[in-house]
Amino acid sequence: MQLEYVTASEVAIPDYLSESFVRYNDKINIEDFTLGIIGMEEFRGNEANLGCESGPDAIRRQLFQLKNFPKIKIIDAGNIKMGVSYKDSHFALKSTLHEMLKADIIPIVLGGDKTLLCAQQEAYYNLHFPFINILQIDEKFKMGNDVDEEITAENYLDHLVNQEPNLIFNFTQLGYQSYFVDALTLDINQKLGFENIRLGEVKEDIKETEPIVRDCDLLAFNVSALRQADASAYHQPTPNGFSADEVCQIVRYAGLSDRLSSIGFYDFNPKYDQQNQTAQIVAQAIWYFIKGVSERKKDYPVVNESDFNIYIVSSKEIGYDITFLKSKKSDRWWIKLPDDHVKYKSHQLVPCSYKDYQMALQDEIPTRWWKAYNKLV
């Protein structure tokens, strides 16, 4: 398979990383790789953050200084140069990611601006994904804008949910800050059956993000979600946000997820980076993602019930039993929705946590069960 639209990065891969990283050339077989890095030199979706088009190689410089990568084959496909128009860049990224996904390679996108999430999502068209779950990590989001306009940082989520064909089964906004998000946006998301999870909720127990991340097919992490004290490399950083270690933990969960098939890091702007601190954080997050992928247990979505402990809890409130599965390989939990109530079999198993099981034992219906049931029946 040939990768088009890409050029070699200016950052050399050190010899000591040769066991893991290979720079793309037309003599290698891309299907032999597990992960693929692709940079996107584009800022025009978020023109206020001019300079983020230079982000990919700044991240690479820090990534290639790290040690102890797992022995997993990674192809660095270089960068997609900015097209004549934004639409050209969008098409080039979508096409390149589509080829990677078709070859069962997990793309790691080094942005570019955050509107490129639309191209990341479109890459799933005409593949084996009837529906996909999207997770975006950002401090703010906005919906209710005109989709007839060009894609911008103000309206890209409206374009995302109105694209045809529409593959989105669920969209989760993780870590938003209430004072940045208007009531109309929250109302639209609620009517669409999507999820909004505040930063404060996440910080109460970071481990409870694991089932949320495990349930997504693609993840978009925007650098603006990091607090300014940890990461300054955005045109408008904010004092509150995720810490560096919290982001690394969440991204590691993404790597461990058997379901997740692409991840993007967007809006990083080296022009505002102090002593390369933000580039280091993103590079370390990628390291944790790669580490997570190397440790996948392959206990989902192909389920052999002999690999699970099954727990059945009778519920007076809903009038029938709730079935929980706990993986013997990974100790992770799922809720199984009733066979006769599910429209989409591929979504019958809902990731959950031990806390959800404990709630059910107290005859409290887990919130995850209610949300999944209402969406699927």
Side-chain angles (χ1 to χ4, degrees):
M1 182 188 70
Q2 297 295 311
L3 281 178
E4 300 178 359
Y5 315 112
V6 297
T7 61
S9 165
E10 67 178 39
V11 183
I13 300 173
D15 290 340
Y16 70 85
L17 291 181
S18 60
E19 285 190 0
S20 297
F21 290 86
V22 174
R23 182 58 49 75
Y24 171 74
N25 63 72
D26 57 10
K27 295 180 181 179
I28 63 176
N29 185 0
I30 195 171
E31 284 88 349
D32 293 337
F33 294 85
T34 301
L35 292 158
I37 295 175
I38 182 73
M40 182 70 242
E41 299 178 5
E42 180 60 78
F43 73 93
R44 286 170 292 186
N46 189 9
E47 293 189 351
N49 200 29
L50 173 64
C52 66
E53 71 278 9
S54 302
D57 280 354
I59 294 170
R60 280 188 179 91
R61 291 187 189 97
Q62 302 305 317
L63 180 64
F64 293 158
Q65 292 181 39
L66 302 180
K67 308 292 193 299
N68 297 317
F69 282 93
K71 293 183 179 179
I72 185 170
K73 298 191 73 175
I74 306 167
I75 182 169
D76 182 353
N79 295 335
I80 300 174
K81 295 295 184 182
M82 190 183 302
V84 175
S85 69
Y86 175 86
K87 288 183 178 179
D88 294 330
S89 297
H90 181 110
F91 179 80
L93 179 60
K94 175 189 72 174
S95 302
T96 303
L97 296 181
H98 181 85
E99 292 302 308
M100 286 186 170
L101 290 168
K102 193 164 65 174
D104 290 326
I105 292 173
I106 301 169
I108 301 172
V109 184
L110 310 180
D113 67 76
K114 64 184 176 182
T115 68
L116 295 167
L117 168 59
C118 295
Q120 186 181 351
Q121 188 262 156
E122 287 184 34
Y124 287 77
Y125 290 173
N126 300 317
L127 293 174
H128 54 282
F129 298 89
F131 297 100
I132 58 174
N133 292 342
I134 298 174
L135 176 66
Q136 176 175 256
I137 302 174
D138 204 347
E139 90 286 6
K140 66 180 70 171
F141 68 117
K142 184 173 177 59
M143 299 182 74
N145 298 281
D146 189 352
V147 295
D148 293 332
E149 300 175 356
E150 294 290 326
I151 296 176
T152 68
E154 291 293 309
N155 67 17
Y156 74 101
L157 292 181
D158 296 284
H159 280 271
L160 187 78
V161 301
N162 286 284
Q163 287 173 343
E164 293 295 339
N166 194 325
L167 303 181
I168 301 175
F169 183 79
N170 191 41
F171 173 83
T172 301
Q173 180 74 28
L174 186 70
Y176 80 93
Q177 298 173 39
S178 298
Y179 35 75
F180 289 142
V181 182
D182 58 52
L184 175 62
T185 295
L186 296 175
D187 184 57
I188 291 172
N189 249 29
Q190 184 177 11
K191 288 179 178 177
L192 291 171
F194 295 158
E195 294 186 73
N196 315 306
I197 304 172
R198 293 183 297 104
L199 177 67
E201 294 179 65
V202 179
K203 283 181 170 288
E204 284 179 6
D205 189 352
I206 196 75
K207 292 181 180 179
E208 285 297 299
T209 62
E210 189 279 325
I212 300 167
V213 175
R214 193 184 349 141
D215 200 32
C216 69
D217 296 283
L218 68 89
L219 188 154
F221 168 69
N222 299 330
V223 163
S224 57
L226 284 158
R227 63 190 182 191
Q228 185 176 12
D230 285 18
S232 60
Y234 184 65
H235 78 284
Q236 197 174 25
T238 60
N240 289 309
F242 286 107
S243 65
D245 60 306
E246 288 168 339
V247 166
C248 287
Q249 188 167 349
I250 293 170
V251 171
R252 179 176 177 271
Y253 291 149
L256 287 167
S257 170
D258 295 306
R259 179 169 187 161
L260 188 129
S261 50
S262 72
I263 188 169
F265 296 87
Y266 298 115
D267 263 345
F268 163 71
N269 193 332
K271 182 168 67 174
Y272 301 107
D273 205 5
Q274 297 180 10
Q275 298 180 315
N276 299 314
Q277 182 172 325
T278 313
Q280 291 181 59
I281 292 172
V282 177
Q284 289 168 21
I286 294 171
W287 186 95
Y288 275 102
F289 178 74
I290 295 169
K291 180 72 170 174
V293 171
S294 73
E295 295 173 351
R296 288 186 174 186
K297 304 300 183 183
K298 303 189 186 307
D299 52 11
Y300 181 84
V302 179
V303 175
N304 183 342
E305 291 199 351
S306 64
D307 294 330
F308 291 80
N309 292 318
I310 298 174
Y311 303 85
I312 298 175
V313 181
S314 296
S315 173
K316 296 177 182 178
E317 185 171 343
I318 59 176
Y320 51 81
D321 297 340
I322 301 177
T323 300
F324 289 86
L325 288 77
K326 181 184 179 184
S327 171
K328 296 176 183 177
K329 295 180 179 179
S330 65
D331 288 335
R332 296 182 294 193
W333 290 77
W334 283 265
I335 301 173
K336 184 178 181 182
L337 295 177
D339 293 338
D340 56 345
H341 286 276
V342 179
K343 292 179 183 177
Y344 310 107
K345 294 295 182 182
S346 60
H347 292 267
Q348 186 174 19
L349 287 181
V350 179
C352 69
S353 68
Y354 178 58
K355 283 187 177 181
D356 295 303
Y357 173 63
Q358 289 178 308
M359 286 180 64
L361 290 176
Q362 301 300 318
D363 206 28
E364 297 178 40
I365 307 304
T367 303
R368 289 190 179 99
W369 189 95
W370 276 122
K371 287 181 178 179
Y373 183 84
N374 291 331
K375 187 182 286 283
L376 289 165
V377 295

